[in-house]
Amino acid sequence: MRQRTLKTVLLLMCAASAAGQTARAADLEVRATVDRNVVGLNEQFTLSVEFSGSGASSIEKADLPQMNAFAAFLGSSTSQAISFVNGRISSNKTIAYAFQATAVGSFKIAPVKVVYEGKTYQTQPIDIEIRQSAPSPPTGRFALRQQGEDIDQASLQENLFLRAVPSKTRVYPNEPVMLSYKLYTRVALGNVRFVTVPATTGFWAEELQMKETPSSIEVVNGREYQVYTIRKLGLFPVQPGPKIIDPLVLSGDVRVRRRARDSFDNFFDDPFFAPTRTVSIRSEPVRIEVLPLPSAGKPDGFSGAVGQFRLTGTVDKKQIRTNEAVTFKLTLEGEGNIRTLPEPTTSFSSDFENYPPKHNEQIDLQGSTVRGKRVYEYVLVPRVAGRQVIKPVSFSFFDPQAGQYRTLQTGEFAIDVAKGNDAVAFVPSGFSKEEVRLIGQDIRYIKTQPPDFRRIGQGLHNSPGFWLLLVAPLVALAGAVIQRRHRDRLRGDYAYARLRRANRAARKRLAAARAVMSVDREKEFFAEVSKALIGFLGDKLNIAEAGMISDEVQSTLRSRGVAPEVIDEYFGCLQVCDLKRFSPAGATAEEMRAFLEKTESAMSKLNRSL
Amino acid sequence: MRMDVMRITLLTLSFMTALLAGPADALFVDGNRLYQAGQYQAALEKYSEILKLGRESTALYFNMGNCYYKLQDVGRAILFYERALRLSPGDDDVQTNLGIAQLATPDKIERQPDFILARFVQAYCHLLPKRIQVGLALGLYLALMAGVILWILTRGRLIGTWAGRASVALAVLLLLAGASLAGREFEQSNRREAVILATKVEVMSSPGAQAVEVFSLHAGAKVALDRSSGDWVEIILPDRKSGWVKREVLEAI
């Protein structure tokens, strides 16, 4: 039964993990699109890579194919939308890459690749066609009609010219430059068309929309001209260095013959009827010097924004419960390159679960400059009850008018977070496998069997049984020692004690002999050696030294299995001693030393055989 | 003879325990009934009375932890589960519920790896369950004593020689077993740990409210205690971060 349950559990686990795998795989979807498939040369187009699925928010960048052959990269922007459905996060992220078309022809944008959790996702290839003449602004729009003097070829240059007027020629990267193309004319001009629209390489360009071509009167060199602003661009330099924008070329029809000015002829004073000539009108190239941003006073958080900005922050709720979402909205508005504005650096307390912000932008291209606003929305989910604070967010930019860096800051927001209903219902990200296993489980039920209660702080060290077990053997040990002593004394086993100290005593006596080892004290020396030999034998055999009879001792030794040559050597030494002690013949120091060594060897041999 | 003494002692001990445990058992059963009925606060009161009697057990701490969890006091739930684990480190129920309670804590603290030698010593000290460790050391001690007594009594004879050699071997084994037990006891007595009970705590760089906030902790975070100064104690996190908090925000396990 138990086995079966186990098997079922294993099967279920396998199935669950397989399901998890497929769910994982379907978690990311990647799509690539271009905003238009037919682009004019030098025009901008946008390649958008769209990610959807729960994995989308973690994607930071995509691997773009090589597009150098036909397009120059201008910049990118990211937008994101996040939705919560039943505690699950699903998100949609789009990275838009802006390009400028640089070559004419039909091209294929190879698949965009994204690596997510070790898997590579690919999009479909996209066809793009780049044409020489762009589907440019309709020519009819600039069909200017005016009362002017009809003119001959020679004076055409003076009466009709095109000027490219930049608002500034020395700028910082990302500082807006307004480039206006103004058509100065003193002649009747019609059917104006763009022939060559120059590339704005090295700039992020925004074309300002004009509802109608503004016209005014200007006096140049004492002559009055009708002036039309035919095109206006907001340019944002990307990199420092000198930049040149090539001439813009227009063509237009000019009336060349002078007419009589009377009321009747006025009827025919119309381009439709007038004999005209097509002329080409060309502006001068524009030179713009892009200066590097000053390094002095650059704030830490600066990441390239240049212009004039305002920063405001708001929260939608001040009182919420845990695991509910509050939206923190940051609005950056002003004048500058809104589309490429870096995100202000935010640092939310770890008590908030936070997600990459959703942002959108509004750009006003109607006025005389590029202005707009960019709104970031941060979804914050407090995990902990209490008073939570959203710290001030700061944003740094360079103010080109003042020539210095400025840092903006929002206020601080305090949010009162009440405890939500369910502490574990919302599952934040960042759990380990082990923790995931526990998610959704309820705690195990209480233990119902009354346990064996024990005294608080009670351990082995204060249980008497333990101490009894420790001490009892020690008592037994002491008892054993006493018992052994008692028994030894009863037995009167003095011999045992003597045997144990025989070696030590012999060593002591030989040392004494060595101390008197000199020619003038030879008698004393041999007496000491003799004492050592007799004493050692007496200790070993437990015989009184006084009662030691040579023959008797020898037979005892033999009976205890000592080899005869050992006995002979030992007693030989003893005899030498006796001889030397009582004979007048002297011994040299060397003889004495040799004898001492011989004695020691005899002793150790006997010791070993006993 | 010795065996008899042991048996008598153990019998007496268990008898005394049974005698004193009477009211504790009744309170425990009452507490369980209230828990079953969903009256967690009342159940807690019953369980707490057992503690007031000076009694404790793994089951008691476990049930109290469950009550606090149901009352959504994750800090105290973790505190009591940890106390239960102190008494029975291997209890599966306690470990599971502690894991679930820890899910509800916002602090995720990574444990820093220990020094390799310290890890080795720790592994050695925890090679066997404590119960077996104690039994082994005690058995070796008794065997050693028997060997030594035998050696004293039979010294000078062949059996005495063998008794002496056996005693030396037993002494070496006892030393090894004793060292592991001592290491474990030392670790346990030195391990002063606590659980944060306040909802949110700012951990300061030094004692005193004017110090700089180093990081923050929330209810349920387990910390080791170090020095103390007045109302303030120094806490150390498993990832080696440390700082000072007021004593009232935490409770020792």
Side-chain angles (χ1 to χ4, degrees):
Chain A
M1 170 59 202
R2 202 196 169 88
Q3 197 108 47
R4 257 237 323 265
T5 326
L6 192 71
K7 221 175 251 174
T8 319
V9 167
L10 276 174
L11 268 172
L12 275 173
M13 274 164 69
C14 286
S17 69
Q21 289 276 308
T22 49
R24 259 280 142 79
D27 264 359
L28 185 69
E29 228 172 88
V30 187
R31 227 157 51 88
T33 49
V34 286
D35 57 345
R36 47 195 169 148
N37 292 84
V38 179
V39 189
L41 185 64
N42 293 323
E43 282 191 345
Q44 288 177 21
F45 65 93
T46 308
L47 171 66
S48 302
V49 185
E50 189 183 327
F51 306 96
S52 51
S54 66
S57 60
S58 60
I59 302 280
E60 289 300 325
K61 67 176 196 50
D63 285 335
L64 291 188
Q66 191 62 257
M67 291 166 68
N68 286 351
F70 57 94
F73 179 67
L74 292 173
S76 67
S77 63
T78 311
S79 61
Q80 190 159 21
I82 293 176
S83 56
F84 294 88
V85 180
N86 298 332
R88 260 180 72 86
I89 309 142
S90 75
S91 64
N92 202 317
K93 188 176 196 166
T94 306
I95 308 180
Y97 299 92
F99 288 92
Q100 186 171 39
T102 55
V104 176
S106 282
F107 301 96
K108 197 177 272 278
I109 300 174
V112 178
K113 286 176 190 161
V114 179
V115 178
Y116 174 65
E117 291 194 341
K119 200 164 177 277
T120 306
Y121 296 83
Q122 282 200 357
T123 62
Q124 294 293 317
I126 303 166
D127 290 314
I128 189 161
E129 193 185 335
I130 301 172
R131 287 185 186 161
Q132 180 66 53
S133 70
S136 57
T139 51
R141 193 169 135 202
F142 296 109
L144 314 167
R145 289 157 180 256
Q146 66 164 105
Q147 289 295 105
E149 294 167 48
D150 290 342
I151 203 152
D152 56 14
Q153 178 75 44
S155 56
L156 190 64
Q157 291 288 333
E158 280 177 17
N159 290 308
L160 177 66
F161 54 89
L162 179 66
R163 275 185 178 175
V165 188
S167 60
K168 287 167 206 161
T169 52
R170 287 166 65 80
V171 292
Y172 294 102
N174 262 326
E175 180 182 353
V177 180
M178 305 316 296
L179 181 62
S180 313
Y181 288 96
K182 288 176 164 179
L183 185 65
Y184 289 72
T185 178
R186 283 166 61 81
V187 298
L189 180 70
N191 200 16
V192 180
R193 297 174 298 273
F194 286 102
V195 178
T196 310
V197 177
T200 51
T201 314
F203 294 92
W204 175 289
E206 296 278 0
E207 179 124 21
L208 296 181
Q209 289 152 10
M210 291 173 290
K211 284 201 181 85
E212 53 191 40
T213 311
S215 71
S216 59
I217 309 265
E218 267 184 49
V219 177
V220 180
N221 292 335
R223 289 183 184 191
E224 210 171 70
Y225 289 87
Q226 189 80 25
V227 182
Y228 299 94
T229 304
I230 56 164
R231 189 173 184 228
K232 205 163 183 182
L233 287 175
L235 295 177
F236 301 94
V238 177
Q239 296 251 301
K243 299 274 158 23
I244 290 172
I245 297 169
D246 291 335
L248 174 77
V249 182
L250 301 175
S251 79
D253 296 342
V254 184
R255 269 182 290 170
V256 286
R257 234 180 322 132
R258 191 179 291 270
R259 288 181 164 265
R261 290 187 167 268
D262 55 52
S263 56
F264 179 77
D265 280 344
N266 266 352
F267 178 77
F268 298 100
D269 190 10
D270 186 288
F272 189 78
F273 295 106
T276 56
R277 199 160 68 86
T278 304
V279 293
S280 160
I281 316 155
R282 165 185 289 267
S283 69
E284 293 296 308
V286 179
R287 198 184 156 79
I288 290 170
E289 186 72 35
V290 185
L291 307 166
L293 286 169
S295 55
K298 192 179 273 189
D300 283 343
F302 180 74
S303 50
V306 175
Q308 304 288 339
F309 298 103
R310 271 202 334 268
L311 178 69
T312 46
T314 51
V315 287
D316 60 345
K317 287 170 234 169
K318 296 243 168 180
Q319 281 163 347
I320 58 166
R321 305 172 83 85
T322 50
N323 303 329
E324 289 176 358
V326 57
T327 305
F328 176 53
K329 199 186 217 175
L330 269 183
T331 308
L332 258 177
E333 59 188 314
E335 204 173 298
N337 196 354
I338 301 294
R339 281 196 221 278
T340 60
L341 271 187
E343 187 189 331
T345 42
T346 50
S347 71
F348 298 109
S349 147
S350 58
D351 295 339
F352 289 112
E353 190 73 31
N354 69 78
Y355 299 91
K358 179 172 90 176
H359 68 75
N360 57 53
E361 59 218 4
Q362 287 166 20
I363 295 171
D364 178 15
L365 296 172
Q366 309 289 333
S368 56
T369 71
V370 179
R371 54 182 309 119
K373 66 177 175 181
R374 193 160 215 207
V375 180
Y376 294 90
E377 281 180 20
Y378 296 85
V379 175
L380 303 175
V381 180
R383 294 189 301 197
V384 187
R387 191 180 171 80
Q388 302 290 356
V389 171
I390 298 175
K391 293 197 178 115
V393 175
S394 55
F395 177 77
S396 297
F397 67 95
F398 182 73
D399 178 351
Q401 277 167 20
Q404 64 186 41
Y405 293 96
R406 294 190 194 283
T407 300
L408 304 170
Q409 212 171 38
T410 63
E412 191 177 80
F413 298 96
I415 296 169
D416 288 318
V417 183
K419 202 159 191 128
N421 285 332
D422 194 349
V424 216
F426 181 80
V427 175
S429 56
F431 277 108
S432 73
K433 228 179 220 164
E434 173 62 19
E435 287 169 326
V436 168
R437 194 178 62 79
L438 294 172
I439 288 172
Q441 281 195 24
D442 192 16
I443 54 167
R444 291 199 188 166
Y445 190 61
I446 50 169
K447 291 176 192 276
T448 45
Q449 189 65 37
D452 288 335
F453 289 102
R454 45 173 245 177
R455 282 215 162 273
I456 289 176
Q458 179 183 295
L460 267 182
H461 53 278
N462 46 24
S463 99
F466 175 71
W467 288 110
L468 198 72
L469 276 179
L470 276 193
V471 177
L474 287 177
V475 174
L477 187 72
V481 170
I482 292 165
Q483 148 81 17
R484 174 76 198 212
R485 280 243 182 95
H486 185 60
R487 205 171 63 194
D488 284 354
R489 199 163 298 154
L490 275 184
R491 232 207 278 162
D493 202 350
Y494 183 55
Y496 175 77
R498 246 184 119 177
L499 180 74
R500 288 197 62 79
R501 58 181 185 87
N503 288 339
R504 209 156 34 134
R507 259 203 307 281
K508 232 173 171 175
R509 284 197 187 115
L510 286 179
R514 197 173 281 118
V516 295
M517 195 169 66
S518 60
V519 181
D520 51 325
R521 296 172 77 176
E522 63 156 323
K523 297 279 186 289
E524 262 178 80
F525 169 74
F526 284 109
E528 282 296 335
V529 175
S530 171
K531 247 192 251 172
L533 284 167
I534 294 169
F536 183 65
L537 210 52
D539 284 345
K540 280 285 179 191
L541 301 176
N542 195 26
I543 316 165
E545 278 157 50
M548 208 148 65
I549 299 151
S550 179
D551 289 343
E552 222 173 89
V553 173
Q554 279 187 37
S555 65
T556 313
L557 286 174
R558 264 196 295 277
S559 72
R560 286 179 68 163
V562 181
E565 57 270 22
V566 175
I567 300 172
D568 286 349
E569 198 187 341
Y570 198 86
F571 281 89
C573 286
L574 211 53
Q575 269 166 15
V576 171
C577 282
D578 289 345
L579 208 68
K580 291 286 181 184
R581 271 165 79 191
F582 304 112
S583 75
T588 63
E590 282 88 83
E591 273 173 350
M592 280 192 267
R593 189 171 299 121
F595 179 66
L596 195 64
E597 270 166 30
K598 201 179 155 199
T599 313
E600 276 171 355
S601 114
M603 262 186 191
S604 71
K605 273 179 198 160
L606 184 77
N607 189 30
R608 251 176 281 146
S609 15
L610 267 171
Chain B
M1 213 286 269
R2 230 174 2 245
M3 289 301 287
D4 286 350
V5 172
M6 243 181 79
R7 200 171 296 151
I8 288 165
T9 315
L10 286 177
L11 270 173
T12 319
L13 271 174
S14 59
F15 179 67
M16 275 162 59
T17 321
L19 206 69
L20 284 166
D25 277 0
L27 284 167
F28 190 78
V29 172
D30 283 352
N32 288 358
R33 209 183 50 242
L34 288 164
Y35 181 95
Q36 170 83 53
Q39 298 172 18
Y40 305 117
Q41 193 64 52
L44 263 180
E45 279 160 23
K46 292 285 177 195
Y47 291 141
S48 302
E49 273 181 54
I50 304 177
L51 286 182
K52 277 186 207 129
L53 288 175
R55 306 275 129 195
E56 65 175 2
S57 88
T58 307
L60 177 66
Y61 286 139
F62 175 76
N63 292 3
M64 290 180 82
N66 275 9
C67 289
Y68 280 119
Y69 183 86
K70 290 287 183 190
L71 291 168
Q72 297 202 8
D73 187 343
V74 177
R76 283 194 177 75
I78 288 177
L79 175 70
F80 278 91
Y81 290 143
E82 290 281 0
R83 282 181 178 165
L85 275 190
R86 278 275 168 102
L87 295 184
S88 328
D91 194 295
D92 191 41
D93 288 340
V94 184
Q95 279 175 341
T96 305
N97 284 10
L98 177 61
I100 292 169
Q102 276 167 346
L103 279 183
T105 63
D107 299 311
K108 299 277 169 265
I109 305 163
E110 292 282 321
R111 207 192 153 77
Q112 287 272 315
D114 287 327
F115 178 53
I116 179 132
L117 193 68
R119 253 188 359 234
F120 175 76
V121 169
Q122 209 187 12
Y124 173 66
C125 292
H126 292 261
L127 207 60
L128 296 168
K130 190 169 173 191
R131 197 181 285 255
I132 295 177
Q133 246 177 348
V134 171
L136 188 71
L138 212 56
L140 281 169
Y141 171 74
L142 292 177
L144 173 64
M145 284 300 149
V148 170
I149 290 169
L150 189 67
W151 175 71
I152 288 171
L153 293 179
T154 62
R155 201 169 42 174
R157 282 188 280 157
L158 189 67
I159 185 168
T161 316
W162 283 108
R165 283 175 195 169
S167 300
V168 171
L170 283 169
V172 170
L173 288 175
L174 177 62
L175 217 63
L176 287 173
S180 81
L181 189 62
R184 194 172 189 151
E185 282 292 318
F186 178 77
E187 184 194 80
Q188 213 153 53
S189 63
N190 265 34
R191 199 175 58 175
R192 292 187 16 251
E193 288 172 320
V195 173
I196 303 283
L197 296 183
T199 315
K200 186 180 176 186
V201 182
E202 270 92 38
V203 183
M204 299 295 182
S205 61
S206 60
Q210 74 283 358
V212 186
E213 183 190 334
V214 196
F215 54 92
S216 62
L217 282 179
H218 305 91
K222 186 177 162 187
V223 297
L225 299 178
D226 198 19
R227 292 173 291 171
S228 66
S229 162
D231 282 352
W232 294 77
V233 284
E234 187 176 23
I235 58 167
I236 302 171
L237 264 51
D239 61 5
R240 307 266 160 83
K241 270 196 254 171
S242 70
W244 293 79
V245 295
K246 284 228 169 192
R247 199 184 293 276
E248 71 225 18
V249 304
L250 48 77
E251 193 166 332
I253 294 169

